[in-house]
Amino acid sequence: MKILDWYILKRYLLTFLTMLLLFVPIGITVDLAEKVGKMLENNAPFGEVAFYYLNFTVYFANLLFPLFLFLSVIWFTSKLANNTEIVAFLSSGVSFSRFLRPYMIGATIVAGFALFLGMYLAPIASKGFNEFKFKYLKKHKNVQKTHDVYQQINDNDYIYVSNFVPSNKTGMNFTYEHFEGNELRYKIFAQNIRYNTADSTYRLTSYVKRSFENGIETIEKERKKDMDFPFELEDLAPVEYAAETKSYSELLDFIAAEERRGSPNIGRYEVVKLKKWSLPVSIYILSIIAVAVSSVKRRGGMGVNLAFGIAIAMIYVFFDKVFGVMAEQSNFPAIIAVWFPNLIFGILAVYLLRNAKR
């Protein structure tokens, strides 16, 4: 039986790698053909373009990992079925569950790599990918929230800026509020706030501070004042894709900080976090579906299995995208949005597997 296990496992991994090596270059070619004009127009250096496509490879592979695996399993299992190899295996007394074991071993190897990729490599690639995209490909699109930014910095402090210009690190109509319990202790206004790179302080123009102590209000005014605040420059203009660029431990800290601040984007961040775990699980589910669908020799051969597999893959992507957007744009629970497609397709996997065993 070890010969059977190794035979299927080898085909499982090699076909998956072949699928990646075929589709990733196709993805790069299509992306390059679409964007080469903007790269030349914006004088993107060759080194940065090469690094962008290195990040693109990791980003693209991580995004479509389960679907590549799904199609590759259907492909080589259909070939086994068409060559009547599966009939020979099962006729020798091997149960379908035993036949499925090397597939699950292969899924475990791929899922482990997918987990490592999502936790550590994909965030690094996502950062480089997005930085290049907004630097050379979407130069006029603002990647940061720069208008009406309101943030809770910690349990006691809140900031507001009506408009922030990242290029010169300057914000307009800045407000800083400090509370102790439910009582406002002081409030700072400034017409402008500018970050000083040299000493990491902030220069306030038309500075006004209103302090409240025992019912007495004190007003302090200065034309210019340099101050050190307990927030980062990024808090004045949050980056939209910040969660995607953080490793898992950094992401947990980031979400906890954003929850304390009362960020409206918690749903989006939770989706990013939960998908790091749901993707490896989907590899098992889609592997079972692929084996159950393609292990029977059908009239029409491999084409019928591939067509059925592509249809299932498209439905899976549809569910994943729709529920992901619902969680990001509304109060729909992120855990349901991320795990619901796996739940539905997990039930489908059990149903197809039971029928395949018959």
Side-chain angles (χ1 to χ4, degrees):
M1 296 311 300
K2 290 182 179 179
I3 297 175
L4 170 62
D5 291 339
W6 175 244
Y7 177 73
I8 293 178
L9 179 60
K10 183 171 66 174
R11 297 286 296 272
Y12 184 103
L13 297 176
L14 288 178
T15 308
F16 173 60
L17 290 175
T18 302
M19 190 74 69
L20 281 178
L21 293 175
L22 285 174
F23 278 94
V24 169
I26 292 173
I28 291 174
T29 303
V30 172
D31 187 79
L32 181 61
E34 179 185 353
K35 297 172 180 174
V36 65
K38 288 186 178 180
M39 291 179 184
L40 293 174
E41 180 184 339
N42 296 315
N43 299 314
F46 176 78
E48 291 192 38
V49 172
F51 192 64
Y52 164 75
Y53 278 109
L54 177 62
N55 290 321
F56 176 85
T57 299
V58 178
Y59 184 85
F60 185 68
N62 180 66
L63 190 66
L64 299 176
F65 227 61
L67 301 184
F68 287 155
L69 182 69
F70 182 61
L71 295 177
S72 64
V73 172
I74 286 181
W75 176 272
F76 87 83
T77 305
S78 295
K79 290 186 69 176
L80 293 179
N82 288 340
N83 295 333
T84 66
E85 293 178 76
I86 294 178
V87 174
F89 295 149
L90 299 178
S91 298
S92 65
V94 177
S95 67
F96 197 88
S97 299
R98 179 64 183 83
F99 169 72
L100 193 63
R101 190 171 76 174
Y103 286 92
M104 293 299 97
I105 295 172
T108 300
I109 295 172
V110 175
F113 181 71
L115 189 63
F116 175 76
L117 189 70
M119 295 287 185
Y120 303 105
L121 297 183
I124 298 172
S126 179
K127 182 177 181 180
F129 173 81
N130 282 290
E131 285 179 350
F132 181 92
K133 182 170 68 173
F134 286 100
K135 183 178 181 180
Y136 294 109
L137 305 178
K138 296 185 177 181
K139 293 185 68 172
H140 303 294
K141 183 175 181 180
N142 201 352
V143 68
Q144 295 173 286
K145 182 181 179 182
T146 56
H147 298 284
D148 294 324
V149 179
Y150 182 77
Q151 295 265 45
Q152 181 178 353
I153 302 304
N154 50 47
D155 292 338
N156 302 315
D157 300 316
Y158 299 80
I159 61 171
Y160 170 81
V161 64
S162 65
N163 187 43
F164 188 82
V165 182
S167 59
N168 58 17
K169 301 180 176 63
T170 301
M172 278 69 79
N173 301 320
F174 171 75
T175 302
Y176 182 92
E177 298 175 327
H178 176 77
F179 289 82
E180 292 182 8
N182 295 321
E183 186 177 350
L184 177 64
R185 286 297 185 181
Y186 62 84
K187 188 171 185 176
I188 295 173
F189 303 90
Q191 184 177 345
N192 294 303
I193 180 172
R194 181 165 187 168
Y195 181 72
N196 299 316
T197 307
D199 55 5
S200 300
T201 60
Y202 297 88
R203 172 161 292 183
L204 306 181
T205 305
S206 300
Y207 166 87
V208 178
K209 181 178 180 181
R210 299 175 60 193
S211 302
F212 306 91
E213 188 70 35
N214 299 322
I216 300 174
E217 179 181 356
T218 304
I219 299 178
E220 175 188 347
K221 294 184 178 181
E222 292 189 35
R223 190 173 66 87
K224 290 184 179 180
K225 186 177 181 66
D226 291 342
M227 297 190 67
D228 186 17
F229 287 111
F231 59 83
E232 302 295 332
L233 178 63
E234 291 77 14
D235 292 324
L236 294 173
V239 178
E240 293 179 0
Y241 58 83
E244 298 177 14
T245 65
K246 300 182 182 301
S247 66
Y248 190 71
S249 58
E250 292 172 340
L251 181 59
L252 293 179
D253 295 337
F254 175 75
I255 292 175
E258 291 298 301
E259 286 178 336
R260 290 194 297 270
R261 295 173 181 175
S263 170
N265 298 318
I266 295 299
R268 177 181 300 173
Y269 305 148
E270 286 287 337
V271 168
V272 174
K273 180 187 75 174
L274 293 170
K275 279 191 174 182
K276 293 181 183 296
W277 294 104
S278 68
L279 188 143
V281 173
S282 69
I283 289 173
Y284 288 98
I285 294 171
L286 293 176
S287 291
I288 293 173
I289 293 175
V291 175
V293 166
S294 56
S295 59
V296 179
K297 188 173 182 179
R298 304 176 189 277
R299 181 181 300 175
M302 190 184 303
V304 175
N305 290 338
L306 284 174
F308 186 65
I310 291 172
I312 291 178
M314 294 297 292
I315 295 171
Y316 179 85
V317 170
F318 174 78
F319 273 90
D320 183 61
K321 293 298 181 184
V322 168
F323 282 96
V325 170
M326 286 174 61
E328 292 174 3
Q329 304 296 332
S330 67
N331 294 324
F332 192 80
I335 190 167
I336 296 177
V338 173
W339 286 101
F340 185 75
N342 279 351
L343 176 63
I344 294 298
F345 280 81
I347 295 172
L348 176 63
V350 172
Y351 172 78
L352 292 174
L353 185 61
R354 291 184 63 180
N355 280 273
K357 287 181 179 181
R358 295 174 186 173

